[in-house]
Amino acid sequence: MSSDLRVLTEEQLQKISPHIISLHDGNLTYEGPLSNSEEEVRRKILSEFREATKNWSAKRLVLYAHGGLVPETSGVNDIYEDYQNILDSECYPIAFIWHTGFLETLKDMLHDLKEKYEEEPSDWYVPGQIFDISDGWLEDKGRDLGSVIWSAMKDNALQATVEANGGAKLVARLVSDLIKEDSTIEIHMVGHSAGSILLAYLLDFMVRPLAGEGLGLTVSSCSLWAPACTMSLFDSTYLPALRTQKLKSLNLYTLSDAKEQSDNCAMIYRKSLLYLVSNSFEGDEAGRIPLLGMACFVEKHNEIADMIDKSLINWIKTGEPGSFQDCARHGDFPDWDNKVVGHTLELISADV
């Protein structure tokens, strides 16, 4: 666990502790400043939620999962900066800090590839571009290592719900206990990038019928910011929940395709993270793998178009004039100043 966590004081960490579920390899983290035992998680979900929401006009529980590019320090700091605004909106946040560690690994991989390229220039050379390395060369050379790293991160997201001791599974069962006591409590989900993968499995477990070894719950809304989950995972989790209205609505935030292509990773790869994942980490030499967070694939998905027409999916493209212009890069979505967080809360609060 990073010692950089101490950028927050003990008092600050105590303030946000009720809103943090710290996971490692899908299980609860039992050591360090964000350690949480099963009993502590039970207290956060049951006792502290009840106390905080007892006088609210509507009781909304918001389950949040950060993205794969977020190191632990940034994830905790983002929650600290936003949690009071979220509470003021009568939304009670529970954030999964799931220790992806992907940012540092991705940067190291891209810099290693840059050094390799400089030692052994190839036919991929594109003069005048960043570091004069083409994206195609990076996608090809980074595919093997990148897919291993990405797969390990996806496994962590899966284990959080599927494993018997998964931390997200424990939270889901406690939420179910809350709903049994008070059926007026609303469940909402918010995820950024790879957080959409963790939430996909969690949503599926929560809404699946009791006979199907699920909890039989209804989720009022899910808001996904530039989701990095594949369309295949969307089709097997989010989409069935929308069809049955066990998930009442999905707010899908994406960059426009032009903004995806003007983004970069570590100033080496000259497109967004989602392009790198689609073309390299999830894909193979035969072609790209469609991702839910990429506008070029969303607009080709017939059932998404149908659900947009039925107002079950609300598609918001950012980074363009008149549409969250300051949110123009993959990593911009969780930044309160870019107004996407506030807009998400408005949609949650307006949910009926």
Side-chain angles (χ1 to χ4, degrees), residues 62-67 78-79 94-96 189-192 199 225 334:
V62 179
L63 302 175
Y64 172 71
H66 62 66
D78 286 347
I79 296 304
I94 291 290
F96 295 104
M189 292 181 166
V190 178
H192 177 222
L199 292 183
W225 305 330

Side-chain angles (χ1 to χ4, degrees), residues 302-336:
N302 290 333
E303 195 159 0
I304 289 180
D306 182 57
M307 289 197 167
I308 290 172
D309 288 341
K310 294 177 179 176
S311 299
L312 296 176
I313 294 179
N314 180 23
W315 184 18
I316 304 107
K317 281 182 277 190
T318 74
E320 303 296 337
S323 181
F324 307 101
Q325 188 168 353
D326 292 336
C327 186
R329 298 188 59 196
H330 182 79
D332 288 344
F333 287 88
D335 187 340
W336 183 270

Side-chain angles (χ1 to χ4, degrees), residues 139-154:
E139 291 162 1
D140 181 61
K141 299 301 181 183
R143 182 168 287 116
D144 289 343
L145 177 58
S147 62
V148 171
I149 298 167
W150 189 253
S151 293
M153 188 184 66
K154 291 198 298 180

Side-chain angles (χ1 to χ4, degrees), residues 30-295:
Y30 286 100
E31 58 183 29
L34 290 182
S35 63
N36 34 211
S37 66
E38 289 190 23
E39 185 55 39
E40 287 170 329
V41 173
R42 185 177 299 277
R43 186 188 70 246
K44 292 176 185 182
I45 303 297
L46 299 180
S47 301
E48 300 198 25
F49 173 83
R50 291 192 195 101
E51 179 62 26
T53 64
K54 63 184 180 182
N55 295 320
W56 287 7
S57 58
K59 298 177 181 179
R60 306 180 185 95
L61 178 65
V62 179
L63 302 175
Y64 172 71
H66 62 66
L69 287 181
V70 178
E72 179 185 271
T73 306
S74 297
V76 173
N77 286 344
D78 286 347
I79 296 304
Y80 181 76
E81 290 175 2
D82 293 347
Y83 87 100
Q84 191 57 57
N85 289 319
I86 297 172
L87 288 173
D88 289 345
S89 299
E90 293 196 344
C91 296
Y92 189 92
I94 291 290
F96 295 104
I97 303 296
W98 55 297
H99 306 283
T100 60
F102 186 61
L103 176 63
E104 292 81 0
T105 309
L106 174 63
K107 286 182 177 178
D108 289 345
M109 186 193 79
L110 290 173
H111 281 287
D112 287 346
L113 286 173
K114 174 179 177 289
E115 291 177 2
K116 180 179 180 180
Y117 176 83
E118 290 173 340
E119 292 171 1
E120 301 177 13
S122 72
D123 294 337
W124 293 99
Y125 181 75
V126 179
Q129 302 294 341
I130 299 175
F131 295 128
D132 294 326
I133 307 175
S134 83
D135 290 347
W137 187 89
L138 289 166
E139 291 162 1
D140 181 61
K141 299 301 181 183
R143 182 168 287 116
D144 289 343
L145 177 58
S147 62
V148 171
I149 298 167
W150 189 253
S151 293
M153 188 184 66
K154 291 198 298 180
D155 284 344
N156 287 343
L158 173 65
Q159 290 166 6
T161 296
V162 172
E163 292 295 319
N165 296 322
K169 175 175 276 190
L170 171 63
V171 169
R173 285 176 169 156
L174 292 171
V175 170
S176 180
D177 290 342
L178 275 177
I179 301 296
K180 289 174 184 175
E181 295 176 6
D182 184 351
S183 61
T184 67
I185 294 172
E186 300 174 12
I187 308 168
H188 298 268
M189 292 181 166
V190 178
H192 177 222
S193 191
S196 64
I197 302 172
L198 188 152
L199 292 183
Y201 299 117
L202 180 59
L203 172 72
D204 183 62
F205 174 63
M206 293 180 80
V207 305
R208 204 184 317 140
L210 294 172
E213 298 184 350
L215 297 175
L217 299 173
T218 297
V219 174
S220 294
S221 78
C222 181
S223 299
L224 299 178
W225 305 330
C229 67
T230 63
M231 279 295 189
S232 176
L233 183 59
F234 168 76
D235 288 345
S236 65
T237 54
Y238 293 102
L239 197 52
L242 284 165
R243 288 185 189 128
T244 60
Q245 279 293 273
K246 298 300 287 182
L247 171 60
K248 291 185 176 181
S249 65
L250 175 67
N251 301 311
L252 176 60
Y253 294 80
T254 74
L255 298 175
S256 67
D257 190 57
K259 290 301 181 183
E260 296 277 3
Q261 296 197 51
S262 64
D263 200 355
N264 72 82
C265 293
M267 294 299 292
I268 298 177
Y269 182 76
R270 298 181 309 281
K271 296 184 184 71
S272 73
L273 170 69
L274 295 190
Y275 259 92
L276 185 58
V277 171
S278 174
N279 291 356
S280 182
F281 301 166
E282 287 280 6
D284 54 34
E285 295 178 359
R288 301 163 63 192
I289 298 299
L291 301 183
L292 178 61
M294 298 179 71

Side-chain angles (χ1 to χ4, degrees), residues 21-38:
I21 305 295
S22 180
L23 306 178
H24 185 74
D25 292 335
N27 296 320
L28 297 180
T29 302
Y30 286 100
E31 58 183 29
L34 290 182
S35 63
N36 34 211
S37 66
E38 289 190 23

